[in-house]
Amino acid sequence: MKVGIIGAGATGISAAKTIQVSGADIDVELFTRSGEQPYNRTLVNKGVAIGLLEPDQTALPPTGVETIADTVRGIDPRSRDVHLDSGQSRTYDALVIASGSRPRTLDETILGRDQALGAGRLTNLHSIADAVRVRDLIGTTRPARVLMLGGGLVASETASLLTDAGHDVALITRALLPGARALGEETARSLLNLHLPQHAAYLGRTPTAIRSHADRITVVLDDGPRAEGDLAIVAHGTMPAAPAPWTGSDGIPVDDHLRSLHAPHQRIYAAGGVAVHHYPGHSSYRIDHWDGSVAQGAHAARALLHDLGLGDDPGIYLPSSPFSARVHGHTLVGAGHPALGSSTRIVSTDPLLTAHYLGDTPVALTGIDAAALVRDWIPRLHQRAPIRS
């Protein structure tokens, strides 16, 4: 039996290890991008961008399975043929697609965007190459002036890390209360209150033009304000990065066992940032953080083993993995997927913990400095509250 795993990040490695420890007689091949060594993406902003780590220090440990550095360009779902950048093709008895995500960029209609990208003063912070670009530019200027476009977890943590390293950071967010939809208003407001004493902030602003200069960048905002810096970092979230025939922004829809809905009987599974889930009673959603990716990789592998008659049914996948970000001396914590909730309830005010509910069912948690409470609450996620008589 031969299984191909496409992607050697958190999801793919978790799937490979799960198959290994099962003891099943399966040969696993793990694909990464051409010329790329698998690395820990959480260290892109935490380590490399701020100069604490060299790129080779982010490498993930060997999995014990064969790793092939040859980008997967496309898959034939009917035959499970995998077409590689080198021109080779391989066929597998089952596939796990764990190709991850790519960063959202600024809209191409923003004047001067392409010139700023070409000048190297506008960048994402998603890959090791991005991190090296940021490190090299801010390393030549002390303190560097950094414009952070975005207000989510990555933007918040990176802004904090850069400030701790002695740089001047300005936040530019499209929302007046950044993160409110993803974290809930209470947690988002607490997070914003951590930022405001530390940074200049342009809230509820949208870039309309970018002007590149030899030694700086200017971001022109709607209603006229301009923000100047040495570098602008775009942190507007991610999109799925799937091989053909799933290219585009839609990702790979999966069922509750992480089987591909486009090829439900072909033993093709998708997990991590590339997978699009559907929660009962709610719309579709994606999860793209490290612990969530690890959990999905393991779940997809266990579903694969079950479908091959080599393991027990893992049950349906429900998001309950924790996540965290360190921001200005405090820890933003959570679990599950807050965007699934339709209402919130304050569990604790000191430390702050908010539970996100879909009807009577808690689906996620967010808070500040509440890691112990989050751990206590995780077993309650996706458990419907008892009906009171």
Side-chain angles (χ1 to χ4, degrees), residues 13 35 49 56 110 118 136 184 221 225 235 263 292 294 303 324 330 333 352 377 383 387 389:
I13 286 179
D56 59 4
I110 296 176
D136 291 350
L221 305 174
V294 170
S324 66
H330 296 269
V333 293
L352 176 65
W377 261 77
Q383 305 296 316
I387 299 174
S389 57

Side-chain angles (χ1 to χ4, degrees), residues 89-340:
S89 293
R90 297 172 185 250
T91 302
Y92 295 91
D93 297 291
L95 291 171
V96 177
I97 303 174
S99 46
S101 61
R102 53 193 171 94
R104 294 184 183 275
T105 59
L106 288 182
D107 194 281
E108 61 183 9
T109 61
I110 296 176
L111 296 175
R113 184 201 71 164
D114 293 344
Q115 292 90 332
L117 289 169
R121 293 191 179 272
L122 175 67
T123 184
N124 294 104
L125 188 51
H126 186 78
S127 67
I128 290 293
D130 294 334
V132 170
R133 188 178 303 113
V134 170
R135 179 200 66 186
D136 291 350
L137 199 149
I138 65 175
T140 62
T141 307
R142 289 286 177 176
R145 299 170 301 163
V146 181
L147 306 178
M148 182 64 61
L149 279 63
L153 266 66
V154 171
S156 294
E157 186 173 58
T158 304
S160 175
L161 289 164
L162 290 171
T163 300
D164 290 345
H167 302 292
D168 293 331
V169 179
L171 290 176
I172 301 173
T173 68
R174 295 171 291 187
L176 288 171
L177 182 58
R181 181 178 177 275
L183 301 173
E185 289 190 6
E186 294 82 4
T187 303
R189 190 172 294 110
S190 295
L191 180 62
L192 181 59
N193 289 337
L194 295 178
H195 282 301
L196 290 178
Q198 306 289 339
H199 315 293
Y202 300 86
L203 305 177
R205 301 287 188 178
T206 302
T208 58
I210 298 176
R211 296 174 183 169
S212 302
H213 313 279
D215 60 347
R216 67 191 189 283
I217 185 172
T218 302
V219 177
V220 181
L221 305 174
D222 53 355
D223 295 334
R226 301 180 181 186
E228 287 202 345
D230 300 297
L231 172 70
I233 298 174
V234 181
H236 285 168
T238 65
M239 304 168 63
W246 297 282
T247 51
S249 59
D250 294 335
I252 303 178
V254 295
D255 69 8
D256 58 15
H257 280 59
L258 308 189
R259 306 179 188 99
S260 167
L261 288 177
H262 289 163
H265 305 298
Q266 296 304 111
R267 298 192 298 276
I268 296 177
Y269 308 78
V274 75
V276 178
H277 312 268
H278 186 84
Y279 194 89
H282 200 275
S283 59
S284 299
Y285 69 96
R286 290 174 57 242
I287 292 184
D288 191 17
H289 62 75
W290 189 266
D291 285 347
S293 296
V294 170
Q296 288 188 49
H299 200 100
R302 289 196 292 267
L304 181 158
L305 291 167
H306 169 68
D307 292 345
L308 294 175
L310 299 172
D312 296 331
D313 186 345
I316 66 174
Y317 169 77
L318 293 169
S320 59
S321 299
F323 56 88
S324 66
R326 189 74 176 162
V327 180
H328 300 304
H330 296 269
T331 305
L332 169 67
V333 293
H337 190 58
L340 293 174

Side-chain angles (χ1 to χ4, degrees), residues 3-63:
V3 171
I5 300 177
I6 299 166
T11 309
I13 286 179
S14 176
K17 288 181 177 178
T18 301
I19 293 172
Q20 274 187 305
V21 300
S22 73
D25 186 15
I26 293 177
D27 290 331
V28 176
E29 291 184 342
L30 186 66
F31 288 92
T32 188
R33 293 182 180 90
S34 301
E36 183 176 281
Q37 186 75 16
Y39 62 90
N40 185 334
R41 193 155 65 88
T42 67
L43 299 177
V44 167
N45 69 326
K46 289 180 172 72
V48 177
I50 58 175
L52 290 179
L53 297 175
E54 291 297 321
D56 59 4
Q57 292 177 288
T58 69
L60 290 168
T63 60

